[in-house]
């Protein structure tokens, strides 16, 4: 008979109904990744907000493939409910294949539409990763002149980086330049492609920040 303490929440409506099922647009690790450090988080980036009450070990399962046992751990959801992380506790077995299952398993958006996407697998490394990634090189190189106005900027890292962490890497001239970002070479190479040709005889700066 004890009363629930008074509480309130606030939200702002959009302009139209949501009629499209949410979809996973990026994952960490990427599908087929090898030598994944055992202290990595398994992360899903989703194109719509997810209902936190639908997240559990049945709807988002990380399984060790040798034993077919699901891993225990903790789930966390970002403030905008679009980035979901799982941290295994205890850490997963070393040098072992794991599968991640989430598609059509019961996670839903705020109007009850089920999460879609492609389930995936990865293989763990024999050790933890305790060192931050380093930039090996950038093209065009620092101080280069006469660069073509249709250039692509390429950044190489010494280890795979999270696809969810590259959004702050930017290109700017007299102002910010819209770019598309893509990872290749097993998430060790980031390429920035400007949406239009650059202005001639103009200095540009590549800023690398936020990558993990």
């Amino acid at each position: 008979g004890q009363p629930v303490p008074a509480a309130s929440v606030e939200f702002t409506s959009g302009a139209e109904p949501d009629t499209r099922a949410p979809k996973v647009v990026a994952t960490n690790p990427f599908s087929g990744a090898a030598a994944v450090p055992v202290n990595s988080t398994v992360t899903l980036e989703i194109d719509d907000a997810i209902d936190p009450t639908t997240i559990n070990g049945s709807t988002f399962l990380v399984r060790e493939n040798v034993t077919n046992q699901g891993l225990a751990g903790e789930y966390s959801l970002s403030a905008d409910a679009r980035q979901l992380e799982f941290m295994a506790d205890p850490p997963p077995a070393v040098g072992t294949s794991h599968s991640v299952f989430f598609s059509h398993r019961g996670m839903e958006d705020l109007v009850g539409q089920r999460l879609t996407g492609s389930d995936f697998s990865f293989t763990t490394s024999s050790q933890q990763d305790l060192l931050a990634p380093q930039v090996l090189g950038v093209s065009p190189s620092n101080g280069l002149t006469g660069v073509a106005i249709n250039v692509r900027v390429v950044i190489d890292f010494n280890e795979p980086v999270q696809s969810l962490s590259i959004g702050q890497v930017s290109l700017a001239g007299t102002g910010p330049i819209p770019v598309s970002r893509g990872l290749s070479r097993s998430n060790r190479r980031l390429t920035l492609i400007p949406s239009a040709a650059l202005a001639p005889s103009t200095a540009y700066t590549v800023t690398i920040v936020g990558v993990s």
Side-chain angles (χ1 to χ4, degrees), residues 78-91:
S78 62
D80 64 0
R82 293 171 182 258
Q83 184 167 311
L84 175 58
E85 292 188 348
F86 172 78
M87 174 61 80
D89 185 17

Side-chain angles (χ1 to χ4, degrees), residues 145-158:
T145 59
V147 176
I149 61 174
N150 60 339
V151 67
R152 294 184 174 191
V153 176
V154 178
I155 305 164
D156 282 336
F157 299 93
N158 67 333

Side-chain angles (χ1 to χ4, degrees), residues 133-148:
Q134 303 294 316
V135 175
L136 294 180
V138 180
S139 176
S141 57
N142 190 41
L144 188 65
T145 59
V147 176

Side-chain angles (χ1 to χ4, degrees), residues 122-203:
F122 64 91
T123 303
T124 53
S125 173
S126 59
Q127 58 189 3
Q128 294 187 349
D129 182 0
L130 303 177
L131 300 175
Q134 303 294 316
V135 175
L136 294 180
V138 180
S139 176
S141 57
N142 190 41
L144 188 65
T145 59
V147 176
I149 61 174
N150 60 339
V151 67
R152 294 184 174 191
V153 176
V154 178
I155 305 164
D156 282 336
F157 299 93
N158 67 333
E159 65 173 313
V161 298
Q162 285 196 21
S163 59
L164 312 180
S165 70
I166 62 176
Q168 295 182 63
V169 180
S170 63
L171 175 66
T174 56
I177 304 299
V179 297
S180 61
R181 302 172 181 84
L183 287 168
S184 59
R185 294 193 175 182
S186 299
N187 281 28
R188 288 177 166 85
R189 170 168 288 181
L190 171 60
T191 302
L192 307 182
I193 303 176
S195 59
L198 303 181
S201 302
T202 301

Side-chain angles (χ1 to χ4, degrees), residues 40-118:
S40 297
T41 59
V42 177
T43 308
L44 308 180
E45 182 177 355
I46 306 164
D47 65 358
D48 196 5
I50 289 296
D51 180 353
T53 65
T54 65
I55 301 168
N56 55 58
S58 296
T59 60
F60 184 13
L61 172 66
V62 181
R63 185 190 71 188
E64 182 184 317
N65 292 333
V66 173
T67 62
N68 286 329
Q69 295 294 314
L71 301 184
E74 295 185 357
Y75 300 91
S76 61
L77 191 62
S78 62
D80 64 0
R82 293 171 182 258
Q83 184 167 311
L84 175 58
E85 292 188 348
F86 172 78
M87 174 61 80
D89 185 17
V94 301
T96 304
S97 173
H98 293 76
S99 293
V100 181
F101 301 99
F102 61 85
S103 183
H104 296 286
R105 292 180 66 90
M107 275 192 286
E108 300 175 346
D109 65 10
L110 301 180
V111 297
Q113 299 170 125
R114 285 203 168 186
L115 178 65
T116 64
S118 297

